[in-house]
Amino acid sequence: MTDKEYIKSFANNSQSAFTRFYDKHIDAFVGYFGRKFNKGHDYSLDLFHEAFMAMYDNILCGKLTVENLTSSLYQYLLGIAIRKMQAGDRKAREFDKEGIYVQGGDG
């Protein structure tokens, strides 16, 4: 299935296309974020889910269409994930600057 076919299928709410794209890319995605950004498996998996849903929403609302896709759909997904990761890292640094620390247990 091509990226354009995926977009059309997602726009038509095709569960099989959703599952096929998800299964095709999840392992590579998690491995990439582990190697490139030193992120753990659980973090990378959560990031994949968030980015995947954002990409899917962009298709459903018409923000991403066959006509305006300028890279591969996987690269588009990576771009979303990288921006989400950077936003999370910025937020964590802001908390650190304020002296706010999240502690577990009774601490």
Side-chain angles (χ1 to χ4, degrees):
M1 189 172 245
T2 68
D3 289 343
K4 292 181 179 190
E5 290 171 330
Y6 275 119
I7 290 173
K8 289 176 184 176
S9 294
F10 289 166
N12 291 324
N13 216 9
S14 168
Q15 183 64 38
S16 64
F18 185 94
T19 302
R20 187 178 307 150
F21 186 89
Y22 184 97
D23 290 344
K24 179 179 179 181
H25 294 294
I26 190 166
D27 291 334
F29 181 99
V30 170
Y32 175 78
F33 274 84
R35 288 185 311 276
K36 178 87 172 165
F37 300 107
N38 199 29
K39 300 296 183 182
H41 182 269
D42 289 343
Y43 177 89
S44 299
L45 195 58
D46 288 345
L47 189 60
F48 178 80
H49 293 144
E50 288 181 37
F52 187 83
M53 291 312 299
M55 177 190 73
Y56 188 70
D57 287 343
N58 287 346
I59 292 169
L60 292 180
C61 75
K63 183 176 178 183
L64 176 62
T65 64
V66 170
E67 292 79 25
N68 66 8
L69 181 68
T70 59
S71 64
S72 74
L73 201 51
Y74 180 69
Q75 288 173 327
Y76 184 84
L77 178 73
L78 287 176
I80 292 172
I82 289 169
R83 285 189 294 283
K84 285 185 173 293
M85 179 189 65
Q86 290 170 337
D89 290 349
R90 273 192 304 276
K91 191 176 210 178
R93 282 192 302 274
E94 288 172 13
F95 282 151
D96 191 41
K97 286 179 188 176
E98 296 294 323
I100 300 171
Y101 299 97
V102 177
Q103 297 178 343
D106 295 330

